[in-house]
Amino acid sequence: MTTTTLSTTTSRRLPLVTYILAAGVFLMGTTEFIVAGILPEIAGDLGISVADAGLMITIFAVGMIVGTPTMAILTLRLSRRLTLSLALVVFAVGHVMVALSSDFTIILGARFLTALATGAFWAVAAVVGAKAAGAAAASRALGVVLGGGMLANVVGVPLGAFAGQVIGWQGPFWVLAALALVGAVAVHRLVAADSGSGSTPSVRAELASMRDSRVWLVLAGCAIVCGSSLAAYTFISPLLTENTGLAAAAVPLVLMAYGVGAFIGSTLGGRFGAHHPYPALFISAAMTFLILGSLFMFSGYALVTVVLIFLLGLFGMATNPILIGKAVGYAGHAPTLASALSTSAFNLGTAMGSWVAGFALESALGASGPVLVGAGVAALYFLPLTLLLLRDRKEGSPPGEEGCGHAGGDIDHGA
């Protein structure tokens, strides 16, 4: 009896590699948005406008758009251990280039390179984490690995922004480079070598499984979600210092409030959405639109602004796990590509939203411009959601349950 109990307890423990992969996702989630907290410092040091400095987020998103599905396809037949290790090494090299260069063109190129590495890592990290944990614990392992990205918003981005203000904006890039190299060694040691058994992954099968139009409606929703929230988030620093009147030192704390909201929203959204996907999606869409509209009108009030930014993270990120799960479920036997395309769609929204928001920042609207852009994009969210609901009803299946309930299993199958 004692032996059985101990065995059960042990089987519930996730392998160490799961947490190493989550740490890698944490580093990559941190680097994507750390720039938002130190835009004025970067712009001042490089002698460029804040709007131009925001291109460091835009170009990273573009790299993720291109890199994630491309790497998902290119690495199907490669050793996953080698792919993950090399991705972290290239990630480190990209950060060293940013820290050493004063040429903005080179910096943008390095950010693009870093995004390609991030795409390569994310394309396989969830699959490796789920497989290492075994079928019984695959979903839990997937939650831990992807949770590293949410944790980055809570801890990594605010700490990085604070460090960038204290020791110079290059400091966080050096730290991320060093941690990535440590992670590369850990991944190479802990990720098991490919066994060589089982069926060979098929690129043709992955592509053929993407024919369901509902997959593309979900991807449109992914792009709009990030386009609305990140249009405002990218230029949150000038909004807080110019409109709200907060000191630059307070910006990391507000970023932490957003991160906490995003972490809670993603967790609760995934749980509620597993059983009630469409109520969760429509409520979040409506709240995101209302929050951005309120932020545009009331950004001159410090307490109100901080609360609204927390709520933006809460509702703006609540739909992400639901949308990813639905995309994977609709794609059938193409879980790797569906997951990769979901990430690309999120980053397409980030790239477009931050790019348009940059023009709005330099318009007569000033720091309020990006928030208004975000509200406008959020209004578009109801179109793909409504079409998706109608398609599900036409298919005669429980709306979205096949997408939300089987994501973990499908990913494990794809491993």
Side-chain angles (χ1 to χ4, degrees):
M1 186 69 174
T2 303
T3 303
T4 303
T5 303
L6 289 174
S7 177
T8 302
T9 302
T10 302
S11 66
R12 291 178 180 175
R13 295 175 182 170
L14 294 175
L16 179 59
V17 68
T18 304
Y19 299 98
I20 296 298
L21 293 172
V25 173
F26 171 83
L27 294 180
M28 294 172 181
T30 298
T31 199
E32 183 166 12
F33 298 116
I34 194 174
V35 175
I38 50 177
L39 277 180
E41 288 77 10
I42 295 174
D45 187 55
L46 297 178
I48 58 178
S49 69
V50 173
D52 285 342
L55 290 174
M56 291 177 67
I57 294 178
T58 303
I59 199 68
F60 190 96
V62 171
M64 287 289 288
I65 295 166
V66 176
T68 308
T70 302
M71 294 302 175
I73 295 297
L74 293 179
T75 60
L76 277 176
R77 298 175 182 269
L78 297 180
S79 162
R80 291 190 175 111
R81 180 169 67 181
L82 180 62
T83 299
L84 292 170
S85 300
L86 284 178
L88 285 167
V89 171
V90 174
F91 179 91
V93 170
H95 282 71
V96 171
M97 290 174 63
V98 170
L100 288 177
S101 181
S102 58
D103 186 312
F104 192 55
T105 302
I106 294 176
I107 289 174
L108 291 180
R111 288 285 287 174
F112 185 81
L113 177 66
T114 301
L116 292 180
T118 299
F121 192 91
W122 279 11
V124 296
V127 177
V128 171
K131 185 176 181 180
S139 294
R140 189 156 58 98
L142 180 59
V144 170
V145 173
L146 298 181
M150 288 293 101
L151 192 60
N153 286 321
V154 181
V155 180
V157 173
L159 281 181
F162 176 75
Q165 292 176 356
V166 174
I167 63 176
W169 67 266
Q170 297 94 338
F173 288 91
W174 283 112
V175 173
L176 288 169
L179 291 175
L181 291 176
V182 173
V185 174
V187 164
H188 188 74
R189 289 175 60 90
L190 294 174
V191 173
D194 293 347
S195 63
S197 61
S199 59
T200 303
S202 170
V203 174
R204 181 177 297 177
E206 289 273 332
L207 294 174
S209 295
M210 301 295 293
R211 292 172 180 169
D212 192 331
S213 63
R214 291 177 295 179
V215 175
W216 300 100
L217 288 172
V218 171
L219 295 179
C222 291
I224 292 171
V225 163
C226 274
S228 59
S229 297
L230 273 302
Y233 184 83
T234 297
F235 298 104
I236 200 70
S237 184
L239 180 78
L240 293 173
T241 55
E242 295 175 20
N243 285 23
T244 311
L246 294 177
V251 173
L253 296 177
V254 180
L255 293 178
M256 184 176 293
Y258 176 89
V260 171
F263 184 80
I264 295 173
S266 179
T267 302
L268 295 182
R271 291 181 181 178
F272 184 72
H275 304 288
H276 308 284
Y278 284 105
L281 290 171
F282 276 99
I283 290 172
S284 295
M287 289 301 298
T288 299
F289 174 75
L290 291 174
I291 289 164
L292 286 166
S294 299
L295 191 59
F296 176 76
M297 293 186 291
F298 301 112
S299 62
Y301 302 91
L303 180 59
V304 175
T305 298
V306 173
V307 171
L308 288 172
I309 289 173
F310 167 80
L311 292 176
L312 181 62
L314 183 71
F315 288 99
M317 296 294 108
T319 61
N320 289 16
I322 306 173
L323 292 172
I324 293 174
K326 289 174 76 66
V328 170
Y330 292 141
H333 297 291
T336 305
L337 184 57
S339 178
L341 285 174
S342 297
T343 301
S344 286
F346 284 129
N347 282 278
L348 175 62
T350 300
M352 294 301 296
S354 61
W355 180 60
V356 176
F359 289 106
L361 179 70
E362 296 187 323
S363 72
L365 292 169
S368 297
V371 179
L372 187 61
V373 169
V377 175
L380 301 174
Y381 192 20
F382 296 97
L383 178 60
L385 287 186
T386 301
L387 292 175
L388 188 61
L389 175 60
L390 293 175
R391 275 298 314 277
D392 267 332
R393 287 178 174 175
K394 184 179 179 180
E395 294 291 331
S397 58
E401 288 184 9
E402 72 277 24
C404 296
H406 295 68
D410 282 336
I411 289 177
D412 191 52
H413 172 77

